[in-house]
Amino acid sequence: MPGVLRTFSNDTICAIATAMSDAGIGIIRVSGPQALSICDTVYLSSKKEHTLLSHEPNTIKFGYICDGEEIIDEVMISFMKAPHSYTMEDVIEINSHGGMLVMNSILNLLLDKGCRLAEPGEFTKRAFLNGRIDLTKAEAVMDIISAQNNFAFESSKGQLQGKLSSKIRSLREKILYEMAFIESALDDPENYDLTGYPEKLKAIVDPMKKEIASLIETADEGKIRKDGIKTVIVGKPNAGKSSLLNALTGDERAIVTDIAGTTRDVIEETVRLGDIVLHVIDTAGIRDTEDIIEKIGVDKAKSKIEEADLILYILDSTNEIDSEDKDIIELCKSKKTIVLLNKNDLSDNIKITEDIIRMHFSDSSNDHLPIIRTSMLKGNGISELKDAISELFFNGDIVPKQEIYITNVRHKDLLNKAFNSLELVLDSISKNLSEDFYTVDLTGAYEALGEILGEEIGDDLVEEIFSKFCMGK
Ligand code: GDP
């Protein structure tokens, strides 16, 4: 990793790697040069002997974890010897019973005997620092753990298998070749001829730029597919917002999370419609703020709408459109919106038609505003809503089409940086600037792509990325 200073401690770390809840089995993971010797002090075989030091790598031993005379638990211990382990260090995994007290007792014992508690993500960080995986793969590990839908799972699996890395590596190799060629030609003009080189370089950089651009283009869809669609339900009191939310959440009552940075004045419901995940800003479910427009005010609604990817605007179609509706329509105009004409079961009283809505939205950015007639009372319209969402966000194709999707903002930003550098190379070519100028920007692109792989980044960024990991990983 040229030019990058990395600090690396190789003490022996331990952590509970499985969930902190009562379960059949729990795993305490230990990694580092003293993994075997520390674990040996607390392990007794079925013959009550300390035999871990003779533990064959890649085998499992049955025995007991003991604190002096006292048996803490019956365990299975596996040993993976450096460098053939997750971290490339000696790794011991203690399979104990999964209760929190049992696992904590074993963990505390290991800490007493000289292990240090691992930081979040430190096992994977060691795998990265020891050179077993690059940064995209380390990030994929975190994404696999936190994947909330099939797309997120499949795309992080692809990333862990190196699909993104190999693409980035091949781009870097091409750039490096050209950088080396220019340098050689400038150093040794007798043997390397730069005549006609700018055209040749242009023919190489152009397709690379396109390749990077097509990766960047997948990012918005990739993010939506992976993280879900931030959705806000708006509408006047009694339009049917709560009923819509209940219809969406159905039996699968959603996970409720506080949105960071707010008090409990806004909560988020996660709704799964097949492979589509909606994060619905639930204003309807909060008693005091039942009506987003009336009670928490247009400003608050505005900020929620600004953050949203999608607005579901629900109207009671048995009432005429009034000034309050017009205010809401103004807020919706610049956003992807789906209009739900609710209470369609009251067919004798319908006062709002599709034409009326289209007229009010005529100057909005929603070219093909989807309008769906619904009856939350009868449960009609939800599958049409799902189709409309899929059409709006995925061109109706819920099955992902691309081989690689960029789902990580860090990757997207660095691809943009590489793209801009390549554009500067082309700019220098078109202005007939000297070859030195090409080298500067080729280097810029090379480094930005290297940062994606983690080859050009410093300690602080490494810390930041791994701190987002969970314990024991
Ligand atoms: P909110 O104030 O916008 O959250 O509206 P609610 O979901 O609480 O619904 C207001 C009232 O309208 C309730 O009495 C619902 O039962 C009723 N309602 C909701 N959707 C429909 C519908 O599609 N048809 C009919 N007839 N009534 C509905």
Side-chain angles (χ1 to χ4, degrees), residues 198-377:
E199 292 72 36
K200 194 182 145 239
L201 183 62
K202 183 174 182 316
I204 291 164
V205 170
D206 260 335
M208 276 203 284
K209 213 183 87 179
K210 284 202 187 91
E211 209 176 317
I212 293 176
S214 59
L215 279 176
I216 295 169
E217 271 168 27
T218 66
D220 287 348
E221 190 183 322
K223 188 173 181 323
I224 292 271
R225 282 187 184 273
K226 177 180 163 226
D227 296 337
I229 302 169
K230 274 195 202 166
T231 307
V232 176
I233 298 175
V234 293
K236 288 190 307 184
N238 272 328
K241 297 184 295 298
S242 308
S243 309
L244 171 61
L245 190 70
N246 286 339
L248 287 173
T249 50
D251 291 338
E252 237 186 88
R253 192 69 193 163
I255 306 155
V256 178
T257 48
D258 283 348
I259 295 176
T262 68
T263 49
R264 283 192 60 86
D265 63 347
V266 174
I267 56 171
E268 200 177 274
E269 302 262 0
T270 300
V271 173
R272 283 193 183 80
L273 296 176
D275 273 346
I276 302 175
V277 176
L278 302 183
H279 298 293
V280 183
I281 307 286
D282 173 11
T283 54
I286 305 164
R287 291 273 58 89
D288 297 351
T289 55
E290 196 166 289
D291 172 18
I292 191 165
I293 298 302
E294 198 172 66
K295 299 214 176 95
I296 55 178
V298 174
D299 280 350
K300 188 106 187 185
K302 240 186 206 160
S303 82
K304 288 297 138 210
I305 286 172
E306 266 161 27
E307 287 167 22
D309 304 311
L310 171 67
I311 297 170
L312 300 180
Y313 172 28
I314 183 161
L315 298 101
D316 177 344
S317 57
T318 64
N319 289 330
E320 311 243 336
I321 286 198
D322 62 12
S323 62
E324 245 180 288
D325 283 306
K326 287 180 189 160
D327 287 345
I328 300 176
I329 289 171
E330 279 313 309
L331 295 176
C332 295
K333 276 183 179 169
S334 58
K335 281 279 172 182
K336 280 187 176 153
T337 302
I338 297 176
V339 175
L340 305 174
L341 296 180
N342 194 33
K343 308 199 183 179
N344 194 42
D345 49 288
L346 305 173
S347 48
D348 293 343
N349 277 324
I350 302 295
K351 304 227 170 47
I352 308 175
T353 62
E354 283 88 341
D355 287 346
I356 293 174
I357 292 290
R358 286 203 195 285
M359 191 187 74
H360 284 282
F361 271 90
S362 58
D363 58 342
S364 87
S365 61
N366 285 280
D367 295 340
H368 305 287
L369 180 74
I371 304 171
I372 302 166
R373 292 188 167 269
T374 61
S375 168
M376 292 306 145
L377 193 72

Side-chain angles (χ1 to χ4, degrees), residues 433-458:
L433 298 180
S434 76
E435 282 78 9
D436 296 347
F437 284 89
Y438 310 163
T439 305
V440 170
D441 296 314
L442 283 172
T443 308
Y446 182 78
E447 286 178 354
L449 294 174
E451 273 188 60
I452 295 179
L453 301 173
E455 290 186 13
E456 305 269 349
I457 67 170

